Amino acid sequence: MEGITFDSKKEGNVYLELKEKEKKGIIKDLELQKEYILQDKFKINNKTRRQITYKSDFTYITTEDGQLHVVDVKSPYTAKDKVYRIKKKLFEYRYGIELEEII
C-alpha cells in the first residue's frame, strides 16, 4: 500500500481509512510509527541503561477538537502481551493520553 509495509492486513486497512479521513479534512497530521520515550536513559554504577521507547502505529489530530490520537492495531493475542501492556501503562502515565487500541 503506497509502498508501505504493514504488520497486518488490519493495520493496512486502518491506514487506508485514516488516509481517507485526512483527505476529507476530518483528521490532520497523520504519522506512522511515531516513537515516544517512556523512560529516559540513565546511569547506575557507571553503567548506562538505555531509554525505553514505545512506537505507535498511527498518530493524528482530529480537526474538530484538536485532540491528539495515538493508535495501536493489535490482534487479540498481541493485545495481551505483557511487555505491550506495561508499555501502554507507561505511555498513558507519562503523556496523559489514553492509547487507543484497535483489536
Side-chain angles (χ1 to χ4, degrees):
M1 262 173 254
E2 297 182 9
I4 304 168
T5 303
F6 294 97
D7 290 340
S8 68
K9 187 174 182 177
K10 183 190 295 186
E11 188 177 329
N13 288 337
V14 170
Y15 172 74
L16 292 176
E17 290 171 18
L18 292 173
K19 286 299 283 183
E20 190 61 32
K21 286 181 179 182
E22 191 174 43
K23 280 182 187 176
K24 292 178 179 179
I26 297 168
I27 68 169
K28 64 180 182 176
D29 301 333
L30 177 62
E31 291 184 59
L32 285 69
Q33 302 291 309
K34 184 168 180 175
E35 190 170 86
Y36 294 88
I37 296 172
L38 302 178
Q39 180 180 305
D40 297 314
K41 71 178 180 178
F42 64 95
K43 277 191 171 187
I44 190 166
N45 295 330
N46 291 323
K47 294 179 185 174
T48 301
R49 304 292 192 230
R50 290 186 292 180
Q51 68 185 10
I52 299 171
T53 60
Y54 161 73
K55 202 177 281 188
S56 68
D57 289 329
F58 307 103
T59 61
Y60 62 88
I61 296 172
T62 46
T63 54
E64 184 178 341
D65 59 10
Q67 183 176 349
L68 174 66
H69 296 261
V70 180
V71 180
D72 211 320
V73 180
K74 293 287 184 200
S75 71
Y77 176 77
T78 58
K80 294 178 183 176
D81 178 75
K82 289 179 183 179
V83 172
Y84 167 71
R85 303 307 299 167
I86 290 169
K87 284 187 172 191
K88 179 182 181 208
K89 286 180 185 179
L90 288 170
F91 171 84
E92 291 176 341
Y93 177 77
R94 181 161 185 167
Y95 292 96
I97 301 169
E98 184 175 4
L99 183 61
E100 299 173 30
E101 295 175 307
I102 298 175
I103 298 174

